[in-house]
Amino acid sequence: VPRLVPMASEPRTGALLRALAASKPGGGFLELGTGTGIATAWLLDGMDKPSTLVSVDIDPAVQKIAQHHLAGDPRLTLVTGDAISFLSAQPSHSYDFVFADAMPGKYDRLDLALAVVKPGGFFVIDDMLPQPNWPEGHAALAAGLLKALAAHRDFVSAPLAWATGIVVSVRKAA
Ligand SMILES: C[S@@+](CC[C@H](N)C(=O)[O-])C[C@H]1O[C@@H](n2cnc3c(N)ncnc32)[C@H](O)[C@@H]1O
């Protein structure tokens, strides 16, 4: 059914992000890949007032749309730049929640994105179920990523056949 109406998965992804966001009062949130800010808006909707969200995108043109709609929210900081450079400058275990929605920090340097997740914190990805628009070779990359998360000694992971395919991973307490 989701294959017939690809956009229909968006609200389901958003609803899950929003619910998980509400579980981290006063939380520090990070989104890699702002895009036009759809998931950003869902995260903000779930976050309480003291929580903060940093969202990073390398493309100022798409991020400008998010800025137009969401910059009035004082909890949000939009960073225009490369996710890998951004992650490299963050202390380890510094975020309660990471939504990794760009290739960097997900398929490239997953280690850097996982490193910033606090014990008990969430690392969330979507688009893990086969999509009609996947380029040649992406299925193998996705399978490798699922395997890496499932095998990670510091995280427990739940791969969900929900929306476009979501993995919720949590860093185990030290
Ligand atoms: C799947 S889209 C994000 C969708 C968005 N989270 C949403 O919910 O609508 C991926 C985004 O990653 C961004 N991106 C690509 N390379 C990047 C990089 N090196 N650093 C940061 N963002 C990057 C793209 O510009 C694109 O907006």
Side-chain angles (χ1 to χ4, degrees), residues 106-118:
K106 183 177 174 183
Y107 289 103
D108 182 20
R109 298 309 307 271
L110 173 70
D111 60 318
L112 287 178
L114 292 179
V116 303
V117 179
K118 286 184 189 175

Side-chain angles (χ1 to χ4, degrees), residues 30-35 40 53-59 63 76-87 90 95 99 101-102:
L30 173 63
E31 178 183 36
L32 304 173
T34 315
T40 320
L53 168 61
V54 178
S55 184
V56 185
D57 203 296
I58 202 162
D59 182 351
Q63 203 181 43
L76 175 65
T77 303
L78 292 172
V79 174
T80 309
D82 171 49
I84 304 265
S85 313
F86 178 86
L87 286 168
Q90 305 306 302
Y95 290 93
F99 178 46
D101 202 20

Side-chain angles (χ1 to χ4, degrees), residues 4-6 9 12 16 19 27 36 52-53 56 63 66 72 76-77 79 86 99 120 129 137 142 152 161 170:
L4 299 175
V5 191
S9 64
R12 288 180 291 178
L16 180 59
T36 57
T52 54
L53 168 61
V56 185
Q63 203 181 43
L76 175 65
T77 303
V79 174
F86 178 86
F99 178 46
L129 284 170
H152 202 296
V170 177

